[in-house]
Amino acid sequence: MQHRFARTYRVAPIYLIAVFEAAVRLGHDPGDFCADLGFDIVDLHEPDFTVTHHDACVVIRRALRVLKIPHIGFDLGQRANLGARGALALGMLSSRTLKEAMTLMLDRPARAGFLLALDAKVMGDQYILIAESWPGSRDLLPFLTEKTFVGLVRLWRVIAQTTSYSPIAVHFSHSEPEIRRRAYEQFFGCPVHFDAPEYKLIAQVVWLDVELPFRSLASFRLAQKLLEHSDLGESAARGIETRVMAELQRVYRHRSPFARVAAQMGLSERTLRRRLSDAGL
């Protein structure tokens, strides 16, 4: 039975737009990708339009079968468009530091269009981003992680206005694609490992404190207000569900208690239970 999450969690169609644009560039009609799903190409460009995780995965599977490009996630990630993220883009550009910009995006996975779970943590002098699949989409992880990791590095270089940003290492759990590893290492500027135990991107923690050239407190506060007034997924309740699921996925294998999940989210147990109750979860 399809997991409830896939049918209820809604995201901005950023990945779908990228896939549709790739199809057009390659001479395909992407209209069939969303057949019988209740929306079409025009809808994707409407402000605050969202799709369910289930429908987004259906579209991507259909597109991958037609396009048949093993490294399409890598290619689309390099075309990541900051402007397509609306108010989130304004917030990231006007953030004071790279850490503030990254936190703004990672705290709003629906607005960012993410179709996988991302967990960020600091260990010593390293900033580590770990990617895991949401229920029902593990088969799409090679595509989703390549597009996400490549896209994030591209966006971080754009908002920091530097080409010198590079991770320390990037790990993919899938096998090396048909194009050579060299193309990946040239883009990331670091070693890239395939057939790794986890999907993760490792960077130097000092990058988090880099001050951004377009920082503006007034614009950042405006972006926050815009994001608050247009929360995706029906309400902020959906956001709390998404964050709790991400934390549970990350710590479940360690059998961590509910208190650990609350602490990782910066909340007390009582507050988290109340917010979950208010959200009807």
Short mmCIF file of all heavy atoms in Angstrom, two decimals, residues 4 235-248 257-259 261-263 265 267-281:
data_model
loop_
_atom_site.label_atom_id
_atom_site.label_comp_id
_atom_site.label_asym_id
_atom_site.label_seq_id
_atom_site.Cartn_x
_atom_site.Cartn_y
_atom_site.Cartn_z
N ARG A 4 1.32 6.84 3.31
CA ARG A 4 0.50 8.05 3.44
C ARG A 4 1.32 9.30 3.11
O ARG A 4 0.81 10.25 2.50
CB ARG A 4 -0.05 8.15 4.86
CG ARG A 4 -0.74 9.48 5.18
CD ARG A 4 -1.25 9.50 6.61
NE ARG A 4 -1.80 10.80 6.94
CZ ARG A 4 -1.11 11.81 7.45
NH1 ARG A 4 0.19 11.65 7.66
NH2 ARG A 4 -1.69 12.95 7.74
N SER A 235 -0.25 23.94 5.30
CA SER A 235 -0.02 24.75 6.48
C SER A 235 1.33 24.40 7.05
O SER A 235 2.03 23.52 6.58
CB SER A 235 -1.10 24.47 7.54
OG SER A 235 -0.93 23.17 8.06
N ALA A 236 1.73 25.12 8.11
CA ALA A 236 2.99 24.81 8.76
C ALA A 236 2.96 23.41 9.36
O ALA A 236 3.99 22.83 9.65
CB ALA A 236 3.27 25.84 9.85
N ALA A 237 1.76 22.86 9.53
CA ALA A 237 1.63 21.52 10.08
C ALA A 237 2.36 20.51 9.21
O ALA A 237 3.01 19.59 9.70
CB ALA A 237 0.16 21.13 10.18
N ARG A 238 2.26 20.69 7.90
CA ARG A 238 2.94 19.77 7.00
C ARG A 238 4.44 19.87 7.19
O ARG A 238 5.17 18.89 7.10
CB ARG A 238 2.56 20.09 5.55
CG ARG A 238 3.07 19.09 4.56
CD ARG A 238 2.46 17.72 4.81
NE ARG A 238 1.01 17.78 4.74
CZ ARG A 238 0.20 16.99 5.39
NH1 ARG A 238 0.67 16.09 6.21
NH2 ARG A 238 -1.10 17.09 5.26
N GLY A 239 4.93 21.10 7.46
CA GLY A 239 6.36 21.27 7.69
C GLY A 239 6.83 20.52 8.92
O GLY A 239 7.89 19.88 8.91
N ILE A 240 6.05 20.55 9.99
CA ILE A 240 6.45 19.84 11.20
C ILE A 240 6.46 18.34 10.96
O ILE A 240 7.33 17.62 11.43
CB ILE A 240 5.53 20.21 12.39
CG1 ILE A 240 6.17 19.73 13.71
CG2 ILE A 240 4.15 19.61 12.26
CD1 ILE A 240 7.31 20.57 14.16
N GLU A 241 5.51 17.84 10.16
CA GLU A 241 5.50 16.41 9.84
C GLU A 241 6.76 16.03 9.08
O GLU A 241 7.40 15.02 9.36
CB GLU A 241 4.27 16.06 9.00
CG GLU A 241 4.23 14.60 8.60
CD GLU A 241 3.03 14.27 7.73
OE1 GLU A 241 2.33 15.19 7.30
OE2 GLU A 241 2.81 13.08 7.50
N THR A 242 7.13 16.87 8.11
CA THR A 242 8.30 16.59 7.29
C THR A 242 9.57 16.56 8.13
O THR A 242 10.41 15.68 8.00
CB THR A 242 8.44 17.66 6.19
OG1 THR A 242 7.25 17.69 5.42
CG2 THR A 242 9.62 17.36 5.29
N ARG A 243 9.71 17.54 9.02
CA ARG A 243 10.91 17.62 9.84
C ARG A 243 11.00 16.45 10.81
O ARG A 243 12.08 15.90 11.03
CB ARG A 243 10.94 18.95 10.59
CG ARG A 243 11.10 20.18 9.68
CD ARG A 243 11.16 21.45 10.49
NE ARG A 243 12.33 21.46 11.34
CZ ARG A 243 12.44 22.26 12.41
NH1 ARG A 243 11.45 23.05 12.75
NH2 ARG A 243 13.53 22.25 13.14
N VAL A 244 9.86 16.07 11.41
CA VAL A 244 9.87 14.94 12.33
C VAL A 244 10.25 13.66 11.58
O VAL A 244 11.05 12.85 12.07
CB VAL A 244 8.50 14.78 13.03
CG1 VAL A 244 8.44 13.45 13.78
CG2 VAL A 244 8.27 15.92 14.00
N MET A 245 9.68 13.46 10.39
CA MET A 245 10.01 12.26 9.61
C MET A 245 11.50 12.23 9.27
O MET A 245 12.13 11.18 9.32
CB MET A 245 9.17 12.20 8.34
CG MET A 245 7.73 11.83 8.59
SD MET A 245 6.86 11.43 7.07
CE MET A 245 7.72 9.95 6.56
N ALA A 246 12.06 13.39 8.93
CA ALA A 246 13.49 13.45 8.61
C ALA A 246 14.33 13.05 9.82
O ALA A 246 15.29 12.28 9.70
CB ALA A 246 13.86 14.85 8.14
N GLU A 247 13.96 13.58 10.99
CA GLU A 247 14.71 13.25 12.19
C GLU A 247 14.56 11.78 12.55
O GLU A 247 15.53 11.12 12.94
CB GLU A 247 14.24 14.13 13.36
CG GLU A 247 14.70 15.57 13.25
CD GLU A 247 16.22 15.70 13.24
OE1 GLU A 247 16.91 14.85 13.85
OE2 GLU A 247 16.73 16.64 12.60
N LEU A 248 13.35 11.23 12.43
CA LEU A 248 13.13 9.83 12.77
C LEU A 248 13.91 8.92 11.84
O LEU A 248 14.49 7.92 12.27
CB LEU A 248 11.64 9.51 12.71
CG LEU A 248 10.80 10.10 13.85
CD1 LEU A 248 9.32 9.84 13.60
CD2 LEU A 248 11.21 9.49 15.19
N PRO A 257 15.50 8.08 21.60
CA PRO A 257 14.19 8.39 22.14
C PRO A 257 13.58 9.64 21.52
O PRO A 257 14.26 10.40 20.82
CB PRO A 257 14.47 8.59 23.62
CG PRO A 257 15.87 9.12 23.65
CD PRO A 257 16.58 8.36 22.54
N PHE A 258 12.31 9.82 21.82
CA PHE A 258 11.59 11.00 21.31
C PHE A 258 12.30 12.29 21.71
O PHE A 258 12.32 13.26 20.96
CB PHE A 258 10.17 10.98 21.87
CG PHE A 258 9.27 12.02 21.28
CD1 PHE A 258 8.60 11.81 20.09
CD2 PHE A 258 9.07 13.23 21.94
CE1 PHE A 258 7.77 12.76 19.56
CE2 PHE A 258 8.23 14.20 21.41
CZ PHE A 258 7.58 13.96 20.21
N ALA A 259 12.90 12.28 22.90
CA ALA A 259 13.60 13.47 23.39
C ALA A 259 14.73 13.87 22.45
O ALA A 259 15.00 15.06 22.25
CB ALA A 259 14.15 13.22 24.79
N VAL A 261 14.86 13.38 19.19
CA VAL A 261 14.27 14.00 18.01
C VAL A 261 13.92 15.46 18.30
O VAL A 261 14.21 16.36 17.52
CB VAL A 261 13.00 13.24 17.56
CG1 VAL A 261 12.35 13.94 16.38
CG2 VAL A 261 13.36 11.81 17.19
N ALA A 262 13.29 15.69 19.47
CA ALA A 262 12.92 17.05 19.84
C ALA A 262 14.15 17.93 19.97
O ALA A 262 14.17 19.08 19.50
CB ALA A 262 12.13 17.03 21.16
N ALA A 263 15.20 17.42 20.60
CA ALA A 263 16.42 18.19 20.80
C ALA A 263 17.07 18.56 19.49
O ALA A 263 17.55 19.69 19.30
CB ALA A 263 17.40 17.39 21.67
N MET A 265 15.65 19.18 16.81
CA MET A 265 14.84 20.21 16.18
C MET A 265 14.80 21.49 17.00
O MET A 265 14.12 22.45 16.63
CB MET A 265 13.42 19.68 15.95
CG MET A 265 13.35 18.51 15.00
SD MET A 265 11.69 17.82 14.87
CE MET A 265 10.83 19.22 14.15
N LEU A 267 13.55 21.87 20.05
CA LEU A 267 12.28 21.98 20.76
C LEU A 267 12.31 21.11 22.01
O LEU A 267 13.06 20.15 22.09
CB LEU A 267 11.12 21.53 19.87
CG LEU A 267 10.93 22.25 18.53
CD1 LEU A 267 9.86 21.53 17.72
CD2 LEU A 267 10.54 23.70 18.75
N SER A 268 11.46 21.46 22.97
CA SER A 268 11.28 20.59 24.12
C SER A 268 10.34 19.46 23.71
O SER A 268 9.60 19.58 22.73
CB SER A 268 10.68 21.36 25.30
OG SER A 268 9.35 21.76 25.00
N GLU A 269 10.36 18.36 24.48
CA GLU A 269 9.44 17.26 24.18
C GLU A 269 7.99 17.74 24.23
O GLU A 269 7.17 17.40 23.37
CB GLU A 269 9.63 16.13 25.18
CG GLU A 269 10.88 15.30 24.97
CD GLU A 269 10.92 14.12 25.92
OE1 GLU A 269 10.19 13.13 25.64
OE2 GLU A 269 11.63 14.19 26.93
N ARG A 270 7.70 18.53 25.25
CA ARG A 270 6.33 19.01 25.43
C ARG A 270 5.89 19.86 24.24
O ARG A 270 4.77 19.69 23.73
CB ARG A 270 6.24 19.83 26.72
CG ARG A 270 4.84 20.35 27.02
CD ARG A 270 4.83 21.10 28.34
NE ARG A 270 3.50 21.62 28.64
CZ ARG A 270 3.21 22.33 29.73
NH1 ARG A 270 4.16 22.60 30.62
NH2 ARG A 270 1.98 22.77 29.93
N THR A 271 6.78 20.75 23.79
CA THR A 271 6.43 21.62 22.66
C THR A 271 6.23 20.81 21.39
O THR A 271 5.27 21.04 20.63
CB THR A 271 7.53 22.66 22.43
OG1 THR A 271 7.64 23.49 23.59
CG2 THR A 271 7.21 23.54 21.22
N LEU A 272 7.11 19.84 21.15
CA LEU A 272 6.99 19.03 19.94
C LEU A 272 5.71 18.21 19.96
O LEU A 272 5.00 18.12 18.95
CB LEU A 272 8.20 18.11 19.80
CG LEU A 272 8.20 17.20 18.56
CD1 LEU A 272 8.01 18.02 17.28
CD2 LEU A 272 9.48 16.39 18.49
N ARG A 273 5.37 17.62 21.12
CA ARG A 273 4.13 16.85 21.21
C ARG A 273 2.91 17.74 20.97
O ARG A 273 1.96 17.35 20.30
CB ARG A 273 4.03 16.18 22.59
CG ARG A 273 5.04 15.08 22.80
CD ARG A 273 4.79 14.34 24.10
NE ARG A 273 5.88 13.45 24.44
CZ ARG A 273 6.08 12.25 23.89
NH1 ARG A 273 5.24 11.81 22.96
NH2 ARG A 273 7.11 11.51 24.24
N ARG A 274 2.97 18.97 21.50
CA ARG A 274 1.84 19.89 21.31
C ARG A 274 1.70 20.27 19.84
O ARG A 274 0.60 20.29 19.29
CB ARG A 274 2.03 21.15 22.16
CG ARG A 274 0.94 22.21 21.94
CD ARG A 274 1.13 23.40 22.86
NE ARG A 274 2.46 23.98 22.74
CZ ARG A 274 2.83 24.77 21.73
NH1 ARG A 274 1.98 25.03 20.74
NH2 ARG A 274 4.05 25.28 21.70
N ARG A 275 2.82 20.55 19.19
CA ARG A 275 2.76 20.95 17.78
C ARG A 275 2.29 19.80 16.89
O ARG A 275 1.56 20.00 15.92
CB ARG A 275 4.13 21.47 17.33
CG ARG A 275 4.49 22.80 17.99
CD ARG A 275 5.84 23.33 17.57
NE ARG A 275 5.86 23.65 16.15
CZ ARG A 275 6.93 24.18 15.54
NH1 ARG A 275 8.02 24.43 16.24
NH2 ARG A 275 6.90 24.43 14.25
N LEU A 276 2.71 18.60 17.20
CA LEU A 276 2.23 17.43 16.46
C LEU A 276 0.73 17.25 16.69
O LEU A 276 -0.02 16.94 15.75
CB LEU A 276 2.99 16.18 16.89
CG LEU A 276 4.43 16.07 16.41
CD1 LEU A 276 5.13 14.89 17.07
CD2 LEU A 276 4.50 15.95 14.90
N SER A 277 0.30 17.44 17.92
CA SER A 277 -1.12 17.31 18.23
C SER A 277 -1.95 18.38 17.50
O SER A 277 -3.00 18.09 16.92
CB SER A 277 -1.35 17.44 19.73
OG SER A 277 -2.73 17.38 20.04
N ASP A 278 -1.41 19.63 17.50
CA ASP A 278 -2.10 20.71 16.80
C ASP A 278 -2.21 20.43 15.30
O ASP A 278 -3.17 20.85 14.64
CB ASP A 278 -1.37 22.04 17.01
CG ASP A 278 -1.46 22.54 18.44
OD1 ASP A 278 -2.34 22.04 19.18
OD2 ASP A 278 -0.67 23.42 18.82
N ALA A 279 -1.22 19.72 14.79
CA ALA A 279 -1.20 19.40 13.35
C ALA A 279 -2.04 18.16 13.04
O ALA A 279 -2.17 17.77 11.88
CB ALA A 279 0.23 19.18 12.88
N GLY A 280 -2.59 17.54 14.09
CA GLY A 280 -3.41 16.36 13.86
C GLY A 280 -2.61 15.12 13.48
O GLY A 280 -3.10 14.23 12.80
N LEU A 281 -1.36 15.08 13.96
CA LEU A 281 -0.47 13.97 13.59
C LEU A 281 -0.23 13.06 14.78
O LEU A 281 -0.13 13.52 15.91
CB LEU A 281 0.87 14.53 13.11
CG LEU A 281 0.78 15.49 11.93
CD1 LEU A 281 2.13 16.12 11.64
CD2 LEU A 281 0.30 14.74 10.70
#
